[in-house]
Amino acid sequence: MEPLDEYLGDCRRFQRETFVQAHPHPWLLLAVTQDDTSERWRAFRTTSINSKILSRHGDLPAVAEGYRVLEIAKTADNPWRNRISVGRARNNDMVIRDRSVSKLHAHFSIDASGQATLTDAGSRNGTRVNGERLQGSDAVALVSGDELRIGRIEAVFQTSAGFYDFLAGMLTE
């Protein structure tokens, strides 16, 4: 995964449509609280907005340190062609190493038009979208800004355009 400062640089250089073409996949934005330990975040395959990036981009607000970014994308080794698996086990496309996340917790699907859906995979602690627990194998269509909860991990779903808007908002604050 590329460093987030590259995405911030792309946000500065590119118009929204060009950014979306360059980074077409959706994202999860994870808010970090004061009591989160650095060990917990090392377990994610994430890129973080941190003080190193802030020193290169001095106009970013301090709130930028409060986020981690997780790319919603396939890995080469996962056998499901149409699913992006999420779970605690290392063979998932998106690994979230938290005890509240099942080994295979949920999966994202993205259709040809770019519409993303989320389905719980029978997890013990459940998956929620905007506070509503997903039932059975129902797939829920996602839009930018949807609040997700995977086990006890809270995140905000962003489309590529939504991620651009998020970054652009940070750069102009």
Side-chain angles (χ1 to χ4, degrees):
M1 187 177 285
E2 297 173 31
L4 188 58
D5 56 346
E6 200 163 311
Y7 299 121
L8 291 164
D10 285 354
C11 184
R12 285 190 165 142
R13 286 189 303 273
F14 299 146
Q15 295 294 322
R16 190 173 193 238
E17 294 91 29
T18 307
F19 182 91
V20 169
Q21 288 173 355
H23 309 291
H25 50 272
W27 305 86
L28 288 182
L29 300 177
L30 300 109
V32 179
T33 61
Q34 292 285 341
D35 61 340
D36 285 330
T37 63
S38 60
E39 181 65 32
R40 179 179 182 191
W41 294 110
R42 269 188 246 135
F44 284 77
R45 291 182 190 156
T46 64
T47 303
S48 63
I49 301 174
N50 59 31
S51 55
K52 182 177 175 186
I53 294 168
L54 288 172
S55 68
R56 284 191 229 156
H57 301 281
D59 55 347
L60 282 177
V63 71
E65 290 187 19
Y67 289 95
R68 300 294 184 266
V69 181
L70 187 58
E71 187 178 335
I72 300 174
K74 289 283 309 155
T75 58
D77 9 339
N78 194 303
W80 289 334
R81 292 181 186 210
N82 300 332
R83 297 180 190 171
I84 300 167
S85 61
V86 180
R88 193 177 72 241
R90 293 175 192 231
N91 64 338
N92 286 292
D93 295 306
M94 298 172 62
V95 177
I96 302 176
R97 305 279 298 166
D98 185 273
R99 288 181 294 171
S100 71
V101 176
S102 297
K103 289 179 183 178
L104 174 60
H105 196 97
H107 64 266
F108 290 93
S109 296
I110 303 172
D111 67 17
S113 71
Q115 174 63 59
T117 59
L118 180 61
T119 305
D120 186 79
S123 67
R124 184 170 44 114
N125 292 320
T127 305
R128 296 177 181 271
V129 176
N130 297 322
E132 296 293 320
R133 188 169 178 151
L134 301 184
Q135 301 297 318
S137 60
D138 291 342
V140 175
L142 301 173
V143 296
S144 248
D146 278 348
E147 296 176 3
L148 307 182
R149 187 172 176 125
I150 299 169
R152 68 176 179 212
I153 303 299
E154 295 180 0
V156 176
F157 173 84
Q158 292 288 353
T159 62
S160 183
F163 184 52
Y164 175 89
D165 294 342
F166 172 79
L167 294 172
M170 291 184 124
L171 292 171
T172 59
E173 286 181 5

